Every structure is written in C-alpha cells, then in structure tokens.
Amino acid sequence: MANGKTRDMTKGGITKALLMFALPILIGDLFQQMYSIVDTIIVGRLLGVNALAAVGATGSLTFMVIGFVQGIATGFSIITSQEFGAYSAGLSDESHIRQSIWTSSVLGVIITVILTAISLALCLPMLRIMNTPKDIIADSNLYLSIIFGGIFATMYFNIMAARLRALGDSRTPLVFLIVSSVLNIVLDILFIAAFHMGVDGAAYATVLAQLISAVGCHIYSVKVFNLLKYKVTQIRTNLKDCIRHLKTGFPMALQFSITAIGVMIMQRYLNGFGPVAIAGFTASSRIQSIMNSGFFDFGVSLSTFCGQNLGAGQLDRIRKGVFKVLWMGLILCVVSAATLWIFGKQLIALFVTDVTDELIEYAYVYIKIASVCYPLLHILVLYRNALQGLGNAFVPMLGGGIELGTRALLTGPLTKAFGYIGVCIADPAAWVLSSLVLALTYLAWLNKTKRNGLSKLH
C-alpha cells in the first residue's frame, strides 16, 4: 500500500470514508471562501461601491477561465484516482500512478500557456460585450488582466491539490488552502490599506498567495509521499496516455466554462441595472458561495470515491456512496436556506460602508430565490461528480450545455417580464433540466452495470 496520509476509500465504512475525506475539503473551502469574502469586504469598505462592482462584474469571466483550470485539474486527477484504486486492489503497480501524474504535469504546462494568452487577449473585448458600465470597466479590466496573468499559479495549485485528493489525501490541500487564505487577507490589507493600491492590489494579493501556497504544497508533497516522487525510469508519457487524460479533463473543463458562459449572459443583463445592483448581486453571491459550498465539497469527495471504487471494481459500494451523499446534501439544503432567510440582510450589511436599502434589497431578493432551489443544485452537483468519477465526462459537459442554453433562452424574456427578479430566476431555472439529465444518466449506468458488471481498468 501507499505511504503517507493517503486514504483508500475502497474499504471500510462508506459514510465515515466520505465524511472524513470531505471534512478537510469543506474546511479548506470555507477558508478559501473566507478570503474571498474578506477580499470583497476590504474592496467594498476601503475602495467603495464602484470598486466592488468593478470586481463583481468580472465574476463570470473569472469563473469561466478559473473553472476551466479547475475542470482540467480535476479531470486529470480522476484518472489518477482510478489508477490508485486499481493499485490498492492489487490490479496494477505504482508505475501507472506516476505515469498519470507526469502526464498531467506536462499537459498542465501546455494548457496554461495557451489559456493565458487567449484570456489576456480577450478580457477587454469580453467586458465590452457584457455591457460593463463605463464608470467601472477600466478597473474591471485591470483586475481581470492581473488574475488572468496569474493563471499559472491557479493551475499549479489546483493540479497539486487534485492530485493529492486522488490519492485520498484531502488534509494536505486543506493546510495549504488555509495558508493561501490567510496570506491573501494579509496581502489585501497591505496592498490596499497600507500601499493605497486599488483593485489591482486585491488581484495581486490573490495571485501571489496562490503561487506561494502551490510551491509549498509541491515541496511538502514530494518530500512526504513516495507516490508523488518522479523516478527517472518512470518519467514517460505517450500520445495514448495524453488522450486518455484529455478525454476526461477537457470535457470537465468545458463543462465549467460552458456553465460560466451562461453566467456571463446573466451578467450582461445584470450590468444593465447599474453598479448598485451589481454590488448587491456580488455580495449575495459571495454569501451563498459559503452556504452552498458543502454541496460542491461532498461532490469532490464523491468523485474521488467513485473513481477509486471504479478502479477496484466495487459497484455496490459506489451505489451506496451516492445514496448517502444524496441524503446528507438534502439536509444541508434545508439548513443553508433557513440560515440565509433569517440572517441574510445582516450578512449583506458586512460588505459595504455606505449600505442602502436599495443595495440590500437587490442582494436579499437573489438570496431568497436561489436558496429555495438548493435541492436542485445539490442533485446537479451530486450526479455530475459521480459521473465524472466514473469516467463519464461527456454527460456532465452536456449538462453544462443545457445550463447554458437555458440561461441563453430564458434570461432575456424573464428580465423583460420581471426586471431584476428575472435575472435571479434564470439561475435556478438553469439547474432544472440539467439535474434531471445527469440523474437519469447515472441511473441508466447503474442499471446497466448491475446487469453486466464493472469492467476493470487493468
């Protein structure tokens, strides 16, 4: 077996394995969300509503590119988790794991160079297409250019974190997420409050904090985990191996980006309501990202769980794991929605000094509409991650396309009919059909494998 703090999720209690793996991811996500929240509070309170709106107006574009990076990293790690599951079951040796790690590193560098060049060239034209208000577009472009220039740091960190999770270690990424979060907050205060920088200070703080954490995570991981040490005789890849990784990673990356394009469509309509509405929507989005982070963290846990058990040929264990995460997530939906309805307005007031009734109303309306639809979001995330862990990257990408199509078709008419409320409705409306397709695909896979059994990777 592997050394260090890797976790073999092909054996033992399912609920405990999922919770013990998900808990560090959740804590790390909360720290990551915390520095995003603090970043927003610092920008809103020290630089004002327009600066907060300028950063908020970049949200969908940032989501599109950073989501692509996260999708690629997660997709590559799915292959690694399958190899680890097969290794744990005695179906292969550790050289397959190292080959997957090396292939993901090579592809990560190539994709980073291409993605950075494209993103920097298109950020200003895309802000214009999205109808970004003239009084904030310069700051939005400045912030976005720095974030996109730092894609290498984002890719570096996400590949390292996803790689460790594929081996069942969710604690090490947690430690370095905490380091990144604290460092980001310190740098935010230093650059904006002490050095009197603008939105560029917030952007530099994010990139620098992530880079330092990525380097630290890499050095520590290689020292502690033998499976992550490259051996000269095992540093190899081939076209077939690259294609295998890209067949999983690229659709997952596209799925994130396709979803983000749908969010960009919403952002374009939202921008038409002016800086106050953008700031309110941004504050609401930040708050909700904390409250629904559990859905996504359970999803990451389930993806690795399914990947390892697929490699080990454990069908019944996969079925039980998905069912348990379904019910844990539905309980979380109720708790999250109730919290937001009761304390939503107080949380919104944290973000800006010049709080107005108009800004709070914009934010609270979106909170109420989205939170009652959290069960749909949970189902979407649950089955998307289960399918990805099982090696089916196409249907989750198709689900992202369905979300895009729904937002593209409905946002305009809903906005015309209901104004700002229409923009808020378009988001959960996009979850309905996509979650249905993903759930039905998983059930079809389950029925098929019950009849035919799981095919082994090796």
Side-chain angles (χ1 to χ4, degrees):
M1 287 300 296
N3 71 310
K5 299 177 182 178
T6 58
R7 183 180 297 277
D8 181 1
M9 292 196 285
T10 64
K11 302 178 180 69
I14 294 175
T15 302
K16 181 180 178 181
L18 286 165
L19 286 174
M20 292 302 292
F21 186 79
L23 185 59
I25 299 174
L26 177 60
I27 295 172
D29 196 14
L30 290 176
F31 269 93
Q32 200 168 24
Q33 297 291 346
M34 181 188 72
Y35 85 64
S36 179
I37 292 287
V38 172
D39 181 70
T40 303
I41 291 174
I42 290 172
V43 170
R45 287 187 169 269
L46 298 183
L47 300 178
V49 171
N50 273 17
L52 177 59
V55 173
T58 68
S60 55
L61 283 170
T62 303
F63 176 41
M64 180 176 68
V65 176
I66 303 305
F68 188 93
V69 170
Q70 292 173 337
I72 281 287
T74 304
F76 291 167
S77 73
I78 292 297
I79 303 299
T80 308
S81 71
Q82 291 172 359
E83 296 292 358
F84 181 74
Y87 167 66
S88 298
L91 302 175
S92 71
D93 58 53
E94 65 183 39
S95 66
H96 291 90
I97 300 173
R98 289 200 176 96
Q99 184 166 337
S100 173
I101 290 170
W102 178 249
T103 300
S104 66
S105 298
V106 172
L107 292 174
V109 170
I110 295 171
I111 292 168
T112 296
V113 173
I114 297 171
L115 189 61
T116 301
I118 294 173
S119 300
L120 288 173
L122 294 180
C123 65
L124 183 56
M126 290 305 298
L127 285 170
R128 288 172 175 160
I129 290 173
M130 290 169 59
N131 196 31
T132 305
K134 292 181 179 180
D135 50 348
I136 64 173
I137 193 170
D139 276 348
S140 294
N141 183 53
L142 176 61
Y143 181 86
L144 205 57
S145 297
I146 296 168
I147 294 295
F148 286 168
I151 286 174
F152 69 94
T154 306
M155 179 70 83
Y156 191 4
F157 184 82
N158 277 278
I159 281 186
M160 288 306 307
R163 182 177 294 169
L164 288 165
R165 289 172 186 146
L167 302 182
D169 174 25
S170 55
R171 294 182 182 180
T172 301
L174 165 63
V175 171
F176 287 96
L177 270 175
I178 293 173
V179 171
S180 178
S181 302
V182 173
L183 189 57
N184 197 330
I185 293 170
V186 171
L187 292 174
D188 261 339
I189 296 171
L190 179 66
F191 291 162
I192 296 177
F195 295 168
H196 304 292
M197 298 173 70
V199 295
D200 55 331
Y204 282 124
T206 298
V207 173
L208 188 57
Q210 201 158 43
L211 178 60
I212 293 172
S213 297
V215 172
C217 185
H218 193 171
I219 293 172
Y220 176 83
S221 299
V222 171
K223 284 180 177 289
V224 172
F225 298 96
N226 284 332
L227 284 174
L228 298 181
K229 294 177 181 177
Y230 298 139
K231 294 184 177 180
V232 176
T233 57
Q234 295 176 339
I235 294 180
R236 65 181 186 272
T237 189
N238 53 56
L239 182 59
K240 182 180 179 181
D241 208 38
C242 288
I243 291 173
R244 182 186 173 200
H245 282 73
L246 288 172
K247 281 176 67 177
T248 301
F250 199 65
M252 289 182 68
L254 284 179
Q255 174 250 309
F256 276 96
S257 293
I258 289 170
T259 302
I261 293 171
V263 176
M264 286 169 59
I265 293 171
M266 288 175 52
Q267 184 78 51
R268 187 178 188 280
Y269 285 97
L270 173 65
N271 289 347
F273 291 93
V276 176
I278 297 171
F281 195 90
T282 300
S284 174
S285 298
R286 295 288 193 270
I287 294 166
Q288 290 192 77
S289 65
I290 288 182
M291 298 307 300
N292 60 36
S293 59
F295 309 146
F296 296 94
D297 299 328
F298 274 127
V300 172
S301 177
L302 185 62
S303 180
T304 300
F305 178 87
C306 289
Q308 287 192 10
N309 283 282
L310 177 68
Q314 302 265 19
L315 170 60
D316 191 56
R317 195 171 173 84
I318 293 171
R319 179 184 62 78
K320 290 179 180 178
V322 172
F323 183 76
K324 288 177 182 295
V325 172
L326 173 64
W327 283 105
M328 287 188 287
L330 289 176
I331 294 170
L332 186 60
C333 288
V334 175
V335 175
S336 298
T339 302
L340 288 173
W341 274 69
I342 296 171
F343 300 108
K345 290 185 177 180
Q346 291 88 337
L347 293 171
I348 295 162
L350 293 173
F351 284 83
V352 288
T353 51
D354 48 343
V355 178
T356 63
D357 290 340
E358 183 185 16
L359 188 149
I360 288 180
E361 189 59 30
Y362 274 126
Y364 193 52
V365 164
Y366 181 44
I367 280 178
K368 290 190 294 184
I369 291 172
S371 61
V372 296
C373 299
Y374 279 171
L376 286 172
L377 177 61
H378 168 56
I379 290 171
L380 186 156
V381 173
L382 167 74
Y383 290 111
R384 181 175 69 196
N385 280 275
L387 289 170
Q388 288 169 343
L390 296 171
N392 184 340
F394 174 75
V395 174
M397 182 180 70
L398 177 63
I402 292 171
E403 287 187 70
L404 167 61
T406 304
R407 287 189 176 97
L409 290 173
L410 295 183
T411 305
L414 286 172
T415 303
K416 185 176 181 180
F418 302 107
Y420 174 79
I421 293 176
V423 179
C424 300
I425 295 173
D427 204 18
W431 302 337
V432 178
L433 186 56
S434 181
S435 60
L436 180 63
V437 169
L438 292 166
L440 291 176
T441 301
Y442 168 77
L443 292 174
W445 175 88
L446 192 62
N447 289 330
K448 181 180 178 180
T449 49
K450 279 182 179 179
R451 293 193 306 268
N452 304 328
L454 280 172
S455 59
K456 304 294 191 296
L457 291 175
H458 300 281

